[in-house]
Amino acid sequence: MSTSDGERSHITTHVLDTGTGRPASGVKATLEHKSASGWQEVGSGRTDDDGRIRNLGPARVEAGNYRITFDTGSYFGETGTETFFPEVVLSFVIADVAQHYHVPLLISPFAYSSYRGS
């Protein structure tokens, strides 16, 4: 499912905790692809000390609908921080398989945002 530790996957992510102004390390993320039979997991991982997951899934994916589910509840729970969002689900479309897709997430206990990175 995921690539080896040294190889970057086609889809990567970066989680920043805007409440602390630091990378969010240890956040579990699951990457899924939508098929005719529903959502299928294609990779998962945890953010490193820099808040990144470079090997979230395979080195190449096909075009289609994808989503990343972030376990923000556990992340905030480890510090005893109350949060409104126990998970964040970001759905997106891979249209051009020749491009790399970077999906950053900015979180705080009561808000989140994302954008298409490079």
Side-chain angles (χ1 to χ4, degrees):
M1 283 191 171
S2 293
T3 63
S4 65
D5 287 337
E7 187 177 11
R8 182 173 79 163
S9 63
H10 200 157
I11 301 167
T12 56
T13 191
H14 189 188
V15 183
L16 299 170
D17 184 336
T18 60
T20 63
R22 306 203 33 86
S25 63
V27 177
K28 183 176 188 232
T30 304
L31 173 65
E32 297 172 291
H33 175 248
K34 190 172 188 180
S35 68
S37 60
W39 290 101
Q40 306 295 320
E41 182 176 327
V42 294
S44 66
R46 288 191 180 273
T47 55
D48 62 16
D49 289 343
D50 193 34
R52 297 178 185 275
I53 305 176
R54 292 174 177 87
N55 59 349
L56 181 59
R60 291 283 157 233
V61 298
E62 61 187 61
N65 294 323
Y66 289 82
R67 71 182 179 192
I68 303 174
T69 302
F70 298 89
D71 182 4
T72 52
S74 293
Y75 169 76
F76 286 117
E78 288 179 15
T79 61
T81 304
E82 179 185 358
T83 183
F84 185 68
F85 301 105
E87 67 179 19
V88 173
V89 180
L90 300 178
S91 298
F92 53 95
V93 175
I94 300 290
D96 181 354
V97 296
Q99 292 186 27
H100 172 77
Y101 287 80
H102 185 63
V103 185
L105 175 65
L106 300 111
I107 58 172
S108 71
F110 298 96
Y112 68 88
S113 65
S114 184
Y115 58 94
R116 164 82 196 275
S118 58

